[in-house]
mmCIF file of all heavy atoms in Angstrom:
data_model
loop_
_atom_site.group_PDB
_atom_site.id
_atom_site.type_symbol
_atom_site.label_atom_id
_atom_site.label_comp_id
_atom_site.label_asym_id
_atom_site.label_seq_id
_atom_site.Cartn_x
_atom_site.Cartn_y
_atom_site.Cartn_z
ATOM 1 N N LEU V 824 6.682 -115.486 -43.465
ATOM 2 C CA LEU V 824 6.773 -115.697 -44.911
ATOM 3 C C LEU V 824 7.231 -117.105 -45.254
ATOM 4 O O LEU V 824 6.846 -117.642 -46.300
ATOM 5 C CB LEU V 824 7.691 -114.646 -45.543
ATOM 6 C CG LEU V 824 6.925 -113.448 -46.150
ATOM 7 C CD1 LEU V 824 6.279 -112.623 -45.036
ATOM 8 C CD2 LEU V 824 7.818 -112.592 -47.012
ATOM 9 N N THR V 825 8.027 -117.714 -44.386
ATOM 10 C CA THR V 825 8.384 -119.117 -44.615
ATOM 11 C C THR V 825 7.150 -120.001 -44.511
ATOM 12 O O THR V 825 6.946 -120.909 -45.337
ATOM 13 C CB THR V 825 9.443 -119.576 -43.599
ATOM 14 O OG1 THR V 825 10.636 -118.814 -43.780
ATOM 15 C CG2 THR V 825 9.765 -121.054 -43.778
ATOM 16 N N LEU V 826 6.306 -119.754 -43.516
ATOM 17 C CA LEU V 826 5.068 -120.524 -43.387
ATOM 18 C C LEU V 826 4.183 -120.311 -44.615
ATOM 19 O O LEU V 826 3.538 -121.255 -45.103
ATOM 20 C CB LEU V 826 4.329 -120.125 -42.118
ATOM 21 C CG LEU V 826 3.136 -121.004 -41.720
ATOM 22 C CD1 LEU V 826 3.593 -122.441 -41.465
ATOM 23 C CD2 LEU V 826 2.441 -120.453 -40.481
ATOM 24 N N ALA V 827 4.152 -119.085 -45.134
ATOM 25 C CA ALA V 827 3.372 -118.805 -46.337
ATOM 26 C C ALA V 827 3.918 -119.578 -47.528
ATOM 27 O O ALA V 827 3.149 -120.086 -48.365
ATOM 28 C CB ALA V 827 3.390 -117.305 -46.631
ATOM 29 N N GLU V 828 5.242 -119.705 -47.629
ATOM 30 C CA GLU V 828 5.836 -120.470 -48.722
ATOM 31 C C GLU V 828 5.519 -121.960 -48.587
ATOM 32 O O GLU V 828 5.315 -122.653 -49.586
ATOM 33 C CB GLU V 828 7.350 -120.255 -48.759
ATOM 34 C CG GLU V 828 7.775 -118.866 -49.206
ATOM 35 C CD GLU V 828 7.472 -118.628 -50.671
ATOM 36 O OE1 GLU V 828 6.297 -118.307 -50.996
ATOM 37 O OE2 GLU V 828 8.383 -118.760 -51.505
ATOM 38 N N ILE V 829 5.487 -122.463 -47.355
ATOM 39 C CA ILE V 829 5.092 -123.862 -47.138
ATOM 40 C C ILE V 829 3.669 -124.077 -47.633
ATOM 41 O O ILE V 829 3.371 -125.068 -48.320
ATOM 42 C CB ILE V 829 5.212 -124.225 -45.653
ATOM 43 C CG1 ILE V 829 6.679 -124.217 -45.213
ATOM 44 C CG2 ILE V 829 4.585 -125.594 -45.382
ATOM 45 C CD1 ILE V 829 6.874 -124.370 -43.718
ATOM 46 N N ALA V 830 2.773 -123.149 -47.308
ATOM 47 C CA ALA V 830 1.379 -123.261 -47.743
ATOM 48 C C ALA V 830 1.279 -123.185 -49.266
ATOM 49 O O ALA V 830 0.525 -123.946 -49.883
ATOM 50 C CB ALA V 830 0.545 -122.146 -47.098
ATOM 51 N N ARG V 831 2.052 -122.307 -49.874
ATOM 52 C CA ARG V 831 2.029 -122.183 -51.344
ATOM 53 C C ARG V 831 2.460 -123.478 -52.015
ATOM 54 O O ARG V 831 1.969 -123.830 -53.084
ATOM 55 C CB ARG V 831 2.936 -121.027 -51.774
ATOM 56 C CG ARG V 831 3.036 -120.841 -53.280
ATOM 57 C CD ARG V 831 3.639 -119.502 -53.635
ATOM 58 N NE ARG V 831 5.059 -119.390 -53.362
ATOM 59 C CZ ARG V 831 6.016 -119.743 -54.224
ATOM 60 N NH1 ARG V 831 5.711 -120.257 -55.395
ATOM 61 N NH2 ARG V 831 7.290 -119.567 -53.909
ATOM 62 N N GLY V 832 3.367 -124.185 -51.391
ATOM 63 C CA GLY V 832 3.853 -125.424 -51.967
ATOM 64 C C GLY V 832 2.970 -126.627 -51.715
ATOM 65 O O GLY V 832 3.244 -127.708 -52.246
ATOM 66 N N ALA V 833 1.898 -126.441 -50.927
ATOM 67 C CA ALA V 833 1.086 -127.595 -50.539
ATOM 68 C C ALA V 833 -0.387 -127.470 -50.931
ATOM 69 O O ALA V 833 -1.006 -128.465 -51.329
ATOM 70 C CB ALA V 833 1.187 -127.817 -49.030
ATOM 71 N N LEU V 834 -0.971 -126.282 -50.808
ATOM 72 C CA LEU V 834 -2.411 -126.141 -50.998
ATOM 73 C C LEU V 834 -2.791 -126.150 -52.475
ATOM 74 O O LEU V 834 -2.047 -125.676 -53.332
ATOM 75 C CB LEU V 834 -2.888 -124.836 -50.341
ATOM 76 C CG LEU V 834 -2.683 -124.739 -48.832
ATOM 77 C CD1 LEU V 834 -3.202 -123.403 -48.304
ATOM 78 C CD2 LEU V 834 -3.350 -125.905 -48.107
ATOM 79 N N LEU V 835 -3.966 -126.695 -52.757
ATOM 80 C CA LEU V 835 -4.503 -126.757 -54.129
ATOM 81 C C LEU V 835 -3.491 -127.369 -55.087
ATOM 82 O O LEU V 835 -3.190 -126.812 -56.147
ATOM 83 C CB LEU V 835 -4.939 -125.357 -54.592
ATOM 84 C CG LEU V 835 -6.042 -124.692 -53.763
ATOM 85 C CD1 LEU V 835 -6.366 -123.315 -54.310
ATOM 86 C CD2 LEU V 835 -7.293 -125.563 -53.725
ATOM 87 N N THR V 836 -2.970 -128.506 -54.737
ATOM 88 C CA THR V 836 -1.941 -129.312 -55.419
ATOM 89 C C THR V 836 -0.543 -128.727 -55.254
ATOM 90 O O THR V 836 0.437 -129.429 -55.462
ATOM 91 C CB THR V 836 -2.204 -129.532 -56.930
ATOM 92 O OG1 THR V 836 -1.797 -128.400 -57.686
ATOM 93 C CG2 THR V 836 -3.659 -129.854 -57.205
ATOM 94 N N GLY V 837 -0.428 -127.456 -54.850
ATOM 95 C CA GLY V 837 0.866 -126.872 -54.546
ATOM 96 C C GLY V 837 1.628 -126.411 -55.774
ATOM 97 O O GLY V 837 1.542 -126.998 -56.858
ATOM 98 N N PHE V 838 2.395 -125.319 -55.582
ATOM 99 C CA PHE V 838 3.277 -124.824 -56.645
ATOM 100 C C PHE V 838 4.424 -124.055 -55.982
ATOM 101 O O PHE V 838 4.427 -122.826 -55.923
ATOM 102 C CB PHE V 838 2.521 -123.925 -57.615
ATOM 103 C CG PHE V 838 3.298 -123.611 -58.864
ATOM 104 C CD1 PHE V 838 3.689 -124.622 -59.729
ATOM 105 C CD2 PHE V 838 3.628 -122.310 -59.173
ATOM 106 C CE1 PHE V 838 4.400 -124.338 -60.885
ATOM 107 C CE2 PHE V 838 4.338 -122.011 -60.330
ATOM 108 C CZ PHE V 838 4.722 -123.028 -61.192
ATOM 109 N N PRO V 839 5.439 -124.784 -55.479
ATOM 110 C CA PRO V 839 6.537 -124.124 -54.752
ATOM 111 C C PRO V 839 7.630 -123.573 -55.658
ATOM 112 O O PRO V 839 8.777 -123.434 -55.234
ATOM 113 C CB PRO V 839 7.074 -125.267 -53.879
ATOM 114 C CG PRO V 839 6.830 -126.498 -54.695
ATOM 115 C CD PRO V 839 5.531 -126.252 -55.428
ATOM 116 N N TRP V 840 7.297 -123.275 -56.895
ATOM 117 C CA TRP V 840 8.284 -122.767 -57.852
ATOM 118 C C TRP V 840 8.836 -121.430 -57.363
ATOM 119 O O TRP V 840 8.111 -120.562 -56.922
ATOM 120 C CB TRP V 840 7.615 -122.598 -59.217
ATOM 121 C CG TRP V 840 8.566 -122.568 -60.369
ATOM 122 C CD1 TRP V 840 9.361 -121.532 -60.738
ATOM 123 C CD2 TRP V 840 8.827 -123.620 -61.306
ATOM 124 N NE1 TRP V 840 10.102 -121.860 -61.849
ATOM 125 C CE2 TRP V 840 9.790 -123.147 -62.224
ATOM 126 C CE3 TRP V 840 8.334 -124.912 -61.460
ATOM 127 C CZ2 TRP V 840 10.261 -123.919 -63.286
ATOM 128 C CZ3 TRP V 840 8.804 -125.671 -62.506
ATOM 129 C CH2 TRP V 840 9.756 -125.185 -63.402
ATOM 130 N N ASN V 841 10.147 -121.257 -57.477
ATOM 131 C CA ASN V 841 10.817 -120.014 -57.064
ATOM 132 C C ASN V 841 10.551 -119.662 -55.603
ATOM 133 O O ASN V 841 10.393 -118.484 -55.253
ATOM 134 C CB ASN V 841 10.441 -118.835 -57.972
ATOM 135 C CG ASN V 841 11.175 -118.872 -59.305
ATOM 136 O OD1 ASN V 841 11.961 -119.767 -59.567
ATOM 137 N ND2 ASN V 841 10.909 -117.899 -60.150
ATOM 138 N N ASP V 842 10.507 -120.680 -54.761
ATOM 139 C CA ASP V 842 10.516 -120.441 -53.318
ATOM 140 C C ASP V 842 11.693 -119.518 -52.995
ATOM 141 O O ASP V 842 12.746 -119.583 -53.629
ATOM 142 C CB ASP V 842 10.683 -121.784 -52.605
ATOM 143 C CG ASP V 842 10.629 -121.673 -51.097
ATOM 144 O OD1 ASP V 842 11.604 -121.140 -50.519
ATOM 145 O OD2 ASP V 842 9.665 -122.149 -50.496
ATOM 146 N N PHE V 843 11.506 -118.644 -52.029
ATOM 147 C CA PHE V 843 12.574 -117.683 -51.698
ATOM 148 C C PHE V 843 13.891 -118.387 -51.356
ATOM 149 O O PHE V 843 14.971 -117.832 -51.555
ATOM 150 C CB PHE V 843 12.142 -116.798 -50.525
ATOM 151 C CG PHE V 843 11.101 -115.780 -50.882
ATOM 152 C CD1 PHE V 843 9.843 -115.808 -50.284
ATOM 153 C CD2 PHE V 843 11.363 -114.785 -51.809
ATOM 154 C CE1 PHE V 843 8.871 -114.874 -50.604
ATOM 155 C CE2 PHE V 843 10.396 -113.842 -52.139
ATOM 156 C CZ PHE V 843 9.140 -113.883 -51.544
ATOM 157 N N GLY V 844 13.797 -119.616 -50.859
ATOM 158 C CA GLY V 844 15.006 -120.346 -50.503
ATOM 159 C C GLY V 844 15.922 -120.629 -51.675
ATOM 160 O O GLY V 844 17.131 -120.827 -51.492
ATOM 161 N N TYR V 845 15.372 -120.643 -52.891
ATOM 162 C CA TYR V 845 16.220 -120.875 -54.062
ATOM 163 C C TYR V 845 17.144 -119.698 -54.350
ATOM 164 O O TYR V 845 18.066 -119.835 -55.160
ATOM 165 C CB TYR V 845 15.361 -121.184 -55.285
ATOM 166 C CG TYR V 845 14.710 -122.543 -55.233
ATOM 167 C CD1 TYR V 845 13.328 -122.675 -55.138
ATOM 168 C CD2 TYR V 845 15.470 -123.701 -55.273
ATOM 169 C CE1 TYR V 845 12.723 -123.915 -55.080
ATOM 170 C CE2 TYR V 845 14.878 -124.952 -55.215
ATOM 171 C CZ TYR V 845 13.504 -125.054 -55.113
ATOM 172 O OH TYR V 845 12.921 -126.296 -55.053
ATOM 173 N N GLY V 846 16.894 -118.568 -53.715
ATOM 174 C CA GLY V 846 17.791 -117.428 -53.909
ATOM 175 C C GLY V 846 19.217 -117.769 -53.497
ATOM 176 O O GLY V 846 20.157 -117.667 -54.283
ATOM 177 N N LEU V 847 19.388 -118.198 -52.240
ATOM 178 C CA LEU V 847 20.722 -118.588 -51.781
ATOM 179 C C LEU V 847 21.197 -119.865 -52.454
ATOM 180 O O LEU V 847 22.402 -120.070 -52.628
ATOM 181 C CB LEU V 847 20.723 -118.780 -50.264
ATOM 182 C CG LEU V 847 20.793 -117.522 -49.394
ATOM 183 C CD1 LEU V 847 20.829 -117.911 -47.925
ATOM 184 C CD2 LEU V 847 21.999 -116.657 -49.750
ATOM 185 N N ALA V 848 20.277 -120.735 -52.853
ATOM 186 C CA ALA V 848 20.667 -122.028 -53.415
ATOM 187 C C ALA V 848 21.350 -121.900 -54.762
ATOM 188 O O ALA V 848 21.957 -122.866 -55.240
ATOM 189 C CB ALA V 848 19.445 -122.939 -53.536
ATOM 190 N N THR V 849 21.257 -120.734 -55.406
ATOM 191 C CA THR V 849 21.959 -120.564 -56.676
ATOM 192 C C THR V 849 23.473 -120.595 -56.485
ATOM 193 O O THR V 849 24.209 -120.793 -57.447
ATOM 194 C CB THR V 849 21.551 -119.249 -57.366
ATOM 195 O OG1 THR V 849 21.778 -118.151 -56.468
ATOM 196 C CG2 THR V 849 20.072 -119.266 -57.750
ATOM 197 N N ASP V 850 23.944 -120.372 -55.252
ATOM 198 C CA ASP V 850 25.359 -120.543 -54.924
ATOM 199 C C ASP V 850 25.510 -121.928 -54.314
ATOM 200 O O ASP V 850 24.937 -122.224 -53.272
ATOM 201 C CB ASP V 850 25.815 -119.470 -53.940
ATOM 202 C CG ASP V 850 27.318 -119.499 -53.688
ATOM 203 O OD1 ASP V 850 27.859 -120.598 -53.431
ATOM 204 O OD2 ASP V 850 27.956 -118.434 -53.725
ATOM 205 N N LEU V 851 26.274 -122.796 -54.968
ATOM 206 C CA LEU V 851 26.370 -124.187 -54.563
ATOM 207 C C LEU V 851 26.900 -124.355 -53.148
ATOM 208 O O LEU V 851 26.569 -125.327 -52.459
ATOM 209 C CB LEU V 851 27.256 -124.946 -55.550
ATOM 210 C CG LEU V 851 27.122 -126.470 -55.594
ATOM 211 C CD1 LEU V 851 25.678 -126.886 -55.831
ATOM 212 C CD2 LEU V 851 28.025 -127.053 -56.665
ATOM 213 N N ARG V 852 27.694 -123.409 -52.667
ATOM 214 C CA ARG V 852 28.222 -123.503 -51.302
ATOM 215 C C ARG V 852 27.115 -123.274 -50.285
ATOM 216 O O ARG V 852 27.005 -123.995 -49.289
ATOM 217 C CB ARG V 852 29.377 -122.528 -51.129
ATOM 218 C CG ARG V 852 30.626 -122.968 -51.882
ATOM 219 C CD ARG V 852 31.514 -121.828 -52.263
ATOM 220 N NE ARG V 852 30.874 -120.930 -53.223
ATOM 221 C CZ ARG V 852 31.543 -120.115 -54.042
ATOM 222 N NH1 ARG V 852 32.856 -120.095 -54.024
ATOM 223 N NH2 ARG V 852 30.895 -119.326 -54.875
ATOM 224 N N PHE V 853 26.279 -122.278 -50.504
ATOM 225 C CA PHE V 853 25.134 -122.078 -49.615
ATOM 226 C C PHE V 853 24.161 -123.249 -49.712
ATOM 227 O O PHE V 853 23.526 -123.632 -48.722
ATOM 228 C CB PHE V 853 24.397 -120.789 -49.965
ATOM 229 C CG PHE V 853 25.127 -119.532 -49.596
ATOM 230 C CD1 PHE V 853 25.281 -118.504 -50.526
ATOM 231 C CD2 PHE V 853 25.664 -119.354 -48.335
ATOM 232 C CE1 PHE V 853 25.950 -117.340 -50.192
ATOM 233 C CE2 PHE V 853 26.340 -118.192 -47.985
ATOM 234 C CZ PHE V 853 26.483 -117.181 -48.929
ATOM 235 N N ALA V 854 24.026 -123.815 -50.910
ATOM 236 C CA ALA V 854 23.031 -124.874 -51.129
ATOM 237 C C ALA V 854 23.315 -126.127 -50.312
ATOM 238 O O ALA V 854 22.397 -126.929 -50.077
ATOM 239 C CB ALA V 854 22.967 -125.220 -52.614
ATOM 240 N N GLN V 855 24.553 -126.325 -49.856
ATOM 241 C CA GLN V 855 24.886 -127.562 -49.126
ATOM 242 C C GLN V 855 24.090 -127.707 -47.839
ATOM 243 O O GLN V 855 23.830 -128.824 -47.386
ATOM 244 C CB GLN V 855 26.389 -127.611 -48.834
ATOM 245 C CG GLN V 855 27.278 -127.628 -50.069
ATOM 246 C CD GLN V 855 26.909 -128.715 -51.048
ATOM 247 O OE1 GLN V 855 26.827 -129.898 -50.688
ATOM 248 N NE2 GLN V 855 26.662 -128.326 -52.295
ATOM 249 N N ILE V 856 23.669 -126.596 -47.246
ATOM 250 C CA ILE V 856 22.925 -126.681 -45.989
ATOM 251 C C ILE V 856 21.563 -127.347 -46.206
ATOM 252 O O ILE V 856 20.938 -127.827 -45.255
ATOM 253 C CB ILE V 856 22.748 -125.273 -45.356
ATOM 254 C CG1 ILE V 856 22.264 -125.387 -43.907
ATOM 255 C CG2 ILE V 856 21.786 -124.426 -46.173
ATOM 256 C CD1 ILE V 856 23.203 -126.107 -42.985
ATOM 257 N N ALA V 857 21.112 -127.424 -47.475
ATOM 258 C CA ALA V 857 19.845 -128.096 -47.765
ATOM 259 C C ALA V 857 19.913 -129.570 -47.420
ATOM 260 O O ALA V 857 18.876 -130.205 -47.186
ATOM 261 C CB ALA V 857 19.471 -127.920 -49.235
ATOM 262 N N SER V 858 21.113 -130.149 -47.355
ATOM 263 C CA SER V 858 21.237 -131.547 -46.959
ATOM 264 C C SER V 858 20.852 -131.753 -45.497
ATOM 265 O O SER V 858 20.634 -132.885 -45.060
ATOM 266 C CB SER V 858 22.669 -132.037 -47.197
ATOM 267 O OG SER V 858 23.586 -131.343 -46.368
#
């Protein structure tokens, strides 16, 4: 499903809106790992 999300964000100009990763990112402490 992560690979599918990568494809969604890239193909046909891409639209990665509401990628599943934003679920944890709503908590700023979890979001730090994005660095």
Side-chain angles (χ1 to χ4, degrees):
L824 263 68
T825 297
L826 190 61
E828 290 291 81
I829 293 172
R831 178 165 72 88
L834 298 180
L835 299 179
T836 81
F838 191 62
W840 201 284
N841 283 0
D842 183 289
F843 287 118
Y845 289 114
L847 281 182
T849 56
D850 187 312
L851 200 55
R852 288 154 295 203
F853 288 131
Q855 298 307 306
I856 193 62
S858 64

